[in-house]
Amino acid sequence: MTVASPPRNRRAGAFGSRSSLALTTLIALLLTSPRISAATNTVQRLSLGDCIQLALKNNLSLAISRYSPQLSRNQLRLSLFGYDPSVSLSVNADTTSSPGGVDDQNRAFAGTETDSERYNASLNGSAVTGLRYTMSTFLSHRQGFNPGEFENTAGNMSFNLTQPLLKNFWIDSTRLSIRVGRNDVRVSDLVLKQSIMDLVTDVEREYYNLILAQDRLKVQQGALELTEQLLQANRRRVTVGVMAPLDEKQTESQLAARQSSVRSAEQGLVRAEYIFKRLLTSDIATWAEIDIQPIDRLIAIPQEFDLHRSWGVALRKRPDILQSQINLESDGLRLKFRKNQLFPQLDLTASASFSGNAREYPGVLADVADRDSPRYAIGARMTIPLGNRTERLRYKNQKLNNERAVLRLKQMEQQIMTSVALNIEAAKTALDQVATTKKSREFAEIALDAEEKKLEIGKSTSFIVLQLQRDLTSAQSSEINALADYNRALSTLALSEGTTLERLKLDIDLE
């Protein structure tokens, strides 16, 4: 359904024929012709799809939103880095000397001097089961005299394992951060998808608003042209004495009002263009000398509406409700962690070490490698916090938060269902308005045509013709408003269902 209507036959040469031709030309312009731009401006013809692609590429708000998934993924990597082992190295060297002397019993004793070196290295880390491990080694060398000369080298390599069996067994802070971090990545992708859907919807609405602003200007220009033609005809009638001068003055007054309406429509078009350009570019100054001419037109394609189907789609697809479901899953992980923290700390420990002694380093290393002096140990360690009131309260608070989150999810579902229902009714009403306003415009054209013919033979007045011209202009405006309302209603309904991208057949890469 378009705003165009078939032309009607008029008598050539008469005022009625000229005004009827102007009406027909106006309706055709609404369908086909571009806006006449200033001579210095460039006309850019764009389809809705072209505009969406420009916005997806250049829109600043979307460019800002694209950082969130990357930041969430980096945060997840930071959590995964919690399993990276750490290495510690140290070197110590010291010299100790003591002079000789005489003790309390007048016995002489010799001085001592010791030079020592010690090298330590350790590797520490944890595993996904909560297992903590440490591998450490040291080498030391001592030489000097006490009172005779001595030299000794020692070394050791040890392994220590600690595995929690209760607290921190099935989940700990690192595993919680990782699993919540994975959910946060999913949420950030959904937030970006919502931003894309919002942007696409804004582009679609403003595209329709731009068409509407252009068509409003054409309607007002057409009305101005009709009034100018009537004024010229009335002046001729006044000149020949078949019309009172008052009718001419009424027409002049209406002409001034039409000129004011044209200026207002031009201002509205400029505003619509700049609002639209802001969505398409990151540098609006480069679009200052460009007039956008939409290729697509406002049409009304009837659709079947199924409330229960739309409810089901919205509850499955809307990014915001999917975010809430994922956040609820994360809250469940936090509750699981808090519950685990209520248990006592029971750790299974195991260790092994191998030592060596010799005069030189190679001998020590050979002893350690041959495991000549092994030591093995296994045991358990339990820590029971008395009362454990802090963790009990944290668990209770997390449980309350989860219960509140469930209710908020239910509340969101109710809000979504209400929004979908209202948007369906708005689309139905707008579709009905399209048909109603089309008929109203057609009747207004017929009424004006008949009254113009009566004016030609002196059986009507300019006042009535002007009134019918205003009625026609109002009917034309109502029709294009209804077309824009219907298309905007479909766009809003798709957004409330979460089907914006599918409706426009857009395949978006969120990476």
Side-chain angles (χ1 to χ4, degrees):
M1 181 181 300
T2 67
V3 75
S5 62
R8 303 186 303 277
N9 294 326
R10 304 279 182 95
R11 289 182 301 164
F15 168 72
S17 298
R18 290 195 302 272
S19 59
S20 298
L21 178 61
L23 283 173
T24 303
T25 304
L26 171 63
I27 300 303
L29 284 172
L30 291 179
L31 179 63
T32 60
S33 67
R35 179 170 71 94
I36 298 175
S37 305
T40 58
N41 284 12
T42 301
V43 175
Q44 186 75 32
R45 292 176 58 83
L46 297 172
S47 67
L48 176 58
D50 295 333
C51 294
I52 289 174
Q53 293 303 322
L54 283 171
L56 292 176
K57 181 179 179 181
N58 300 314
N59 185 265
L60 288 174
S61 296
L62 183 59
I64 294 171
S65 298
R66 289 188 185 278
Y67 282 93
S68 295
Q70 182 178 348
L71 292 171
S72 295
R73 285 173 171 79
N74 288 343
Q75 188 62 43
L76 175 59
R77 292 189 184 100
L78 289 175
S79 298
L80 291 170
F81 294 164
Y83 291 117
D84 288 354
S86 61
V87 176
S88 176
L89 301 172
S90 65
V91 178
N92 293 283
D94 64 78
T95 298
T96 303
S97 60
S98 175
V102 179
D103 60 16
D104 294 341
Q105 298 179 0
N106 291 324
R107 291 179 298 186
F109 60 89
T112 63
E113 183 174 333
T114 302
D115 294 323
S116 63
E117 301 171 352
R118 186 179 177 91
Y119 305 90
N120 295 280
S122 64
L123 177 69
N124 300 277
S126 59
V128 294
T129 62
L131 174 71
R132 300 187 299 276
Y133 59 86
T134 301
M135 182 179 70
S136 60
T137 183
F138 79 85
L139 289 172
S140 66
H141 177 261
R142 299 174 70 251
Q143 64 179 12
F145 57 88
N146 186 24
E149 291 186 4
F150 67 90
E151 183 175 7
N152 175 260
T153 302
N156 176 271
M157 177 176 288
S158 62
F159 302 90
N160 294 278
L161 303 174
T162 302
Q163 173 62 58
L165 298 180
L166 291 177
K167 184 178 180 180
N168 294 323
F169 175 53
W170 58 76
I171 189 170
D172 57 16
S173 58
T174 302
R175 280 175 281 175
L176 175 65
S177 297
I178 292 172
R179 295 173 70 176
V180 170
R182 289 195 178 105
N183 284 346
D184 289 343
V185 170
R186 294 164 58 196
V187 167
S188 66
D189 286 341
L190 289 169
V191 171
L192 176 58
K193 184 177 181 180
Q194 183 68 61
S195 298
I196 292 173
M197 290 170 55
D198 290 340
L199 174 61
V200 169
T201 301
D202 288 341
V203 170
E204 188 177 6
R205 289 172 180 166
E206 296 305 328
Y207 189 82
Y208 299 143
N209 285 340
L210 180 58
I211 298 174
L212 179 60
Q214 291 179 345
D215 288 352
R216 281 173 175 168
L217 177 58
K218 292 170 187 174
V219 166
Q220 296 302 328
Q221 289 171 338
L224 177 62
E225 182 179 351
L226 289 178
T227 306
E228 288 174 342
Q229 292 173 357
L230 179 60
L231 178 60
Q232 292 173 4
N234 286 347
R235 283 174 177 172
R236 289 194 297 269
R237 293 186 180 97
V238 170
T239 301
V240 299
V242 298
M243 178 176 284
L246 179 59
D247 286 339
E248 181 184 355
K249 296 301 181 183
Q250 288 177 339
T251 309
E252 289 176 349
S253 174
Q254 186 61 37
L255 180 64
R258 290 298 182 203
Q259 291 170 340
S260 177
S261 297
V262 168
R263 287 193 292 270
S264 296
E266 289 173 340
Q267 183 181 7
L269 177 56
V270 171
R271 182 177 183 276
E273 279 190 334
Y274 270 100
I275 292 175
F276 191 48
K277 290 174 181 178
R278 185 184 62 187
L279 297 174
L280 305 185
T281 179
S282 59
D283 185 5
I284 200 168
T286 60
W287 285 69
E289 305 301 325
I290 295 176
D291 289 331
I292 299 175
Q293 177 57 48
I295 296 175
D296 302 328
R297 306 309 305 164
L298 290 174
I299 60 175
I301 302 176
Q303 293 192 13
E304 295 292 333
F305 300 103
D306 186 333
L307 178 60
H308 292 281
R309 183 200 65 82
S310 295
W311 278 346
V313 170
L315 296 178
R316 291 195 311 271
K317 289 183 173 292
R318 278 187 56 141
D320 52 354
I321 197 167
L322 295 178
Q323 293 171 44
S324 295
Q325 291 170 353
I326 294 172
N327 288 333
L328 188 60
E329 180 182 331
S330 295
D331 287 338
L333 293 172
R334 295 185 181 96
L335 183 63
K336 181 179 180 181
F337 172 73
R338 286 301 166 198
K339 185 175 182 179
N340 187 229
Q341 298 303 298
L342 297 176
F343 286 80
Q345 184 78 43
L346 175 61
D347 296 336
L348 179 65
T349 61
S351 62
S353 64
F354 310 99
S355 302
N357 284 279
R359 289 183 58 85
E360 302 292 339
Y361 286 126
V364 172
L365 295 177
D367 287 348
V368 173
D370 294 339
R371 292 178 290 182
D372 289 340
S373 302
R375 177 179 177 276
Y376 303 99
I378 188 170
R381 179 175 61 249
M382 176 175 282
T383 303
I384 303 175
L386 298 179
N388 205 16
R389 292 181 295 178
T390 299
E391 291 300 334
R392 290 181 184 278
L393 184 57
R394 287 174 177 171
Y395 173 73
K396 182 179 180 179
N397 284 341
Q398 186 61 55
K399 193 172 182 180
L400 292 173
N401 284 332
N402 286 24
E403 292 173 356
R404 181 176 60 180
V406 170
L407 293 176
R408 284 178 172 172
L409 179 59
K410 183 64 176 178
Q411 182 186 44
M412 178 178 289
E413 290 175 351
Q414 297 291 318
Q415 292 171 343
I416 288 174
M417 294 171 72
T418 301
S419 174
V420 169
L422 294 177
N423 288 329
I424 286 178
E425 289 304 313
K428 289 179 178 179
T429 301
L431 183 58
D432 291 340
Q433 286 294 106
V434 170
T436 301
T437 55
K438 180 177 183 294
K439 290 180 180 179
S440 177
R441 187 257 305 165
E442 291 173 346
F443 292 149
E445 287 179 351
I446 295 171
L448 177 60
D449 182 37
E451 202 64 29
E452 286 172 348
K453 292 178 180 178
K454 291 169 63 177
L455 180 63
E456 291 173 10
I457 60 177
K459 293 185 177 181
S460 183
T461 65
S462 295
F463 177 81
I464 296 176
V465 172
L466 288 172
Q467 181 62 51
L468 292 177
Q469 285 182 357
R470 288 194 294 271
D471 292 343
L472 176 59
T473 301
S474 176
Q476 291 170 336
S477 298
S478 296
E479 183 177 7
I480 60 176
N481 285 337
L483 286 167
D485 288 343
Y486 178 65
N487 283 276
R488 287 190 297 246
L490 292 181
S491 177
T492 302
L493 176 59
L495 182 64
S496 67
E497 290 178 339
T499 59
T500 298
L501 304 182
E502 292 86 343
R503 172 174 172 266
L504 297 173
K505 297 180 174 57
L506 294 176
D507 185 13
I508 305 297
D509 184 9
L510 298 178
E511 291 295 333

